[in-house]
Amino acid sequence: MNRRVVVTGMGIVSPVGIGIDEVWESLISGRSGAGPVTHFDTTNYACRIAAEVKNLDPHLDPSDKELSRCDPFVRFALVAAKLALEHSGLELDKEDLDRFGSIVGSGIGGLQILETQKEILMEKGPRRVSPFLIPMMIGNMASGMISMRHGLRGPNTSVVTACATGNHCIGDAFNVIRRDEADLMVAGGTEAAITPLGLSGFGNMKALATHWNDDPTHASRPFDKDRDGFVMGEGSAILVLEELEHARKRNAVVYAEIVGYGMTADAFHVSQPAPEGRGGREAMRRALRDAGISPEEVDYINAHGTSTPVGDVAEAQAINALFGEHAKKVAVSSTKSMTGHLLGAAGALESCVCVKTITEGIIPPTINLDNQDPECRIDCVPNTAREAKISVALNNSFGFGGQNCVLVFRRT
């Protein structure tokens, strides 16, 4: 049984705003959320910039002791889920919560609490390590806490596929509803890896932008010839997915339909894409086949586009190989140019972007595209948002370990 699945709510915590409306306004205005790292002293770091979440405190209850113990990746997810549920207009006391589940993942999990507790272990000994270390560090805790906060007793899992995590979580939730295992799912990703260890690890593998420490808003520049790595971001994005007839019965606002899900493995390298973007190309092809949509029907692609020298070229090659002549007519933008790279949360935030392009008829730009790399021969919507009727949008997410995941959204 393949039931139809629609998006009826979206919640975002991001470096460019909190809540779908604030984030969307930032993106179509071309505003960057990058700046100097404020979480810790970066004097000795090669990369000293990131895209941090700001102004989260007004969304938190200071009397909530359980929340105060959580790693930031869990707090981000709880706020995003609350916003998504509010946006959906759902009244939970009227729903069968045995048919309402949660699939929310994190690429890295509770890195901050792990680092903090390791310092306590070394300075004060094993008896002073928090008993909450393990439950608040593990990557599935965001999904678990969301279900506990809202009483969601349906399917509950957590995907970990590096920077493809958010997309995989949404795709798996899509399949849960298609198979009639639930009527409603919250799905997405969350990440809070802007920590000393996170910045060091990504920095030492030469993945981060280092030439723009004094000009952080111009550091994330996907498909630009002067790109030198990604800007690390943080935050969470959650979508409410709902079976179409269930949504109609409660007169819900339907923002878009999710119609395709494709995934592959590069089987090539732990961090580099397969030559010519073979894995990404095949994931896009599978997602379109699942949707029953031809490449010529696609209007917009939200690119993975992280601003890395190799990755951007591979994705452009994959798009050109799959779409052929139609690639010249497909608008492709990377909103990571503004948000930074939210790692495990990136795909979920960018799924929200795809939905908004459909509902609003506007494509956010790829900012900082001053000198497009000739090896990236695609229409990158440079620097300024573009009005366009979008009926079909693709969201690409690729991750370390050769993970490729693509979602297809369609106007209902």
Side-chain angles (χ1 to χ4, degrees):
M1 176 184 294
N2 275 350
R3 307 191 307 158
R4 294 175 68 182
V5 182
V6 294
V7 178
T8 57
M10 295 172 282
I12 301 176
V13 172
S14 85
V16 295
I18 296 175
I20 185 67
D21 293 336
E22 183 179 355
V23 170
W24 182 246
E25 180 59 32
S26 292
L27 294 178
I28 63 173
S29 299
R31 288 198 289 269
S32 171
V37 172
T38 65
H39 294 342
F40 54 93
D41 182 5
T42 59
T43 300
N44 296 320
Y45 290 71
C47 175
R48 300 188 294 276
I49 58 175
E52 299 175 339
V53 168
K54 307 163 191 73
N55 302 319
L56 187 67
D57 286 350
H59 298 271
L60 303 174
D61 180 356
S63 66
D64 190 336
K65 293 182 179 179
E66 186 176 44
L67 196 61
S68 68
R69 290 193 293 260
C70 292
D71 188 272
F73 90 100
V74 176
R75 290 201 290 273
F76 292 159
L78 287 171
V79 172
K82 181 176 181 290
L83 293 172
L85 290 168
E86 291 172 352
H87 189 231
S88 74
L90 280 161
E91 298 179 62
L92 295 185
D93 59 350
K94 295 181 180 179
E95 297 297 333
D96 179 358
L97 298 184
D98 289 320
R99 300 276 300 173
F100 198 159
S102 173
I103 302 180
V104 177
S106 175
I108 295 176
L111 196 57
Q112 184 179 108
I113 197 169
L114 177 63
E115 291 184 35
T116 301
Q117 293 300 312
K118 172 63 185 305
E119 291 178 5
I120 290 173
L121 170 67
M122 302 307 294
E123 293 173 6
K124 300 181 180 180
R127 294 185 180 276
R128 298 298 297 275
V129 170
S130 171
F132 299 104
L133 166 62
I134 301 302
M136 290 303 139
M137 177 190 74
I138 52 181
N140 68 300
M141 194 49 64
S143 196
M145 287 289 288
I146 289 169
S147 71
M148 288 179 250
R149 284 294 168 107
H150 301 286
L152 312 183
R153 299 187 295 269
N156 189 296
T157 63
S158 179
V159 179
V160 180
T161 49
C163 302
T165 293
N167 259 15
H168 275 120
C169 287
I170 295 167
D172 284 1
F174 167 52
N175 278 338
V176 164
I177 297 175
R178 281 207 286 191
R179 295 192 302 260
D180 198 18
E181 296 174 16
D183 297 317
L184 289 150
M185 297 290 293
V186 290
T190 185
E191 205 76 85
I194 303 174
T195 71
L197 197 56
L199 200 65
S200 299
F202 280 114
N204 289 345
M205 68 182 299
K206 309 299 183 185
L208 299 180
T210 57
H211 297 163
W212 304 86
N213 286 323
D214 296 326
D215 190 11
T217 62
H218 292 93
S220 183
R221 41 199 319 111
F223 307 114
D224 188 82
K225 191 174 181 180
D226 295 323
R227 70 191 183 280
D228 71 319
F230 71 82
V231 174
M232 196 186 306
E234 62 183 1
S236 177
I238 305 290
L239 287 76
V240 175
L241 304 186
E242 187 167 356
E243 191 272 327
L244 178 60
E245 291 307 315
H246 185 282
R248 284 174 173 167
K249 285 177 182 177
R250 69 179 186 89
N251 296 315
V253 177
V254 172
Y255 296 101
E257 183 175 4
I258 177 169
V259 291
Y261 176 31
M263 52 182 169
T264 63
D266 281 346
F268 174 70
H269 189 272
V270 294
S271 60
Q272 298 296 323
E276 300 177 346
R278 287 195 307 258
R281 180 188 67 213
E282 177 64 12
M284 286 188 282
R285 189 187 68 80
R286 292 187 184 194
L288 289 171
R289 182 183 64 188
D290 186 40
I293 288 173
S294 70
E296 290 72 27
E297 295 175 82
V298 175
D299 303 301
Y300 171 64
I301 300 172
N302 188 287
H304 185 61
T306 61
S307 188
T308 59
V310 176
D312 289 2
V313 171
E315 186 170 12
Q317 290 174 327
I319 290 168
N320 281 305
L322 179 65
F323 289 90
E325 281 299 307
H326 185 64
K328 298 175 183 177
K329 301 178 182 179
V330 179
V332 182
S333 69
S334 173
T335 44
K336 289 184 179 75
S337 59
M338 294 168 278
T339 66
H341 187 4
L342 271 65
L343 309 175
L349 191 159
E350 291 150 15
S351 288
C352 294
V353 172
C354 286
V355 171
K356 290 292 283 184
T357 64
I358 290 170
T359 62
E360 303 299 325
I362 303 174
I363 300 170
T366 305
I367 68 167
N368 300 324
L369 192 57
D370 302 324
N371 185 11
Q372 187 164 334
D373 188 337
E375 293 191 74
C376 299
R377 293 179 294 103
I378 50 179
D379 175 6
C380 295
V381 192
N383 299 314
T384 304
R386 178 186 303 169
E387 292 187 4
K389 182 179 179 180
I390 307 298
S391 296
V392 177
L394 264 64
N395 180 19
N396 288 346
S397 283
F398 312 134
F400 287 175
Q403 310 283 354
N404 305 299
C405 183
V406 177
L407 299 173
V408 185
F409 296 90
R410 182 174 64 194
R411 180 185 299 275
T412 52

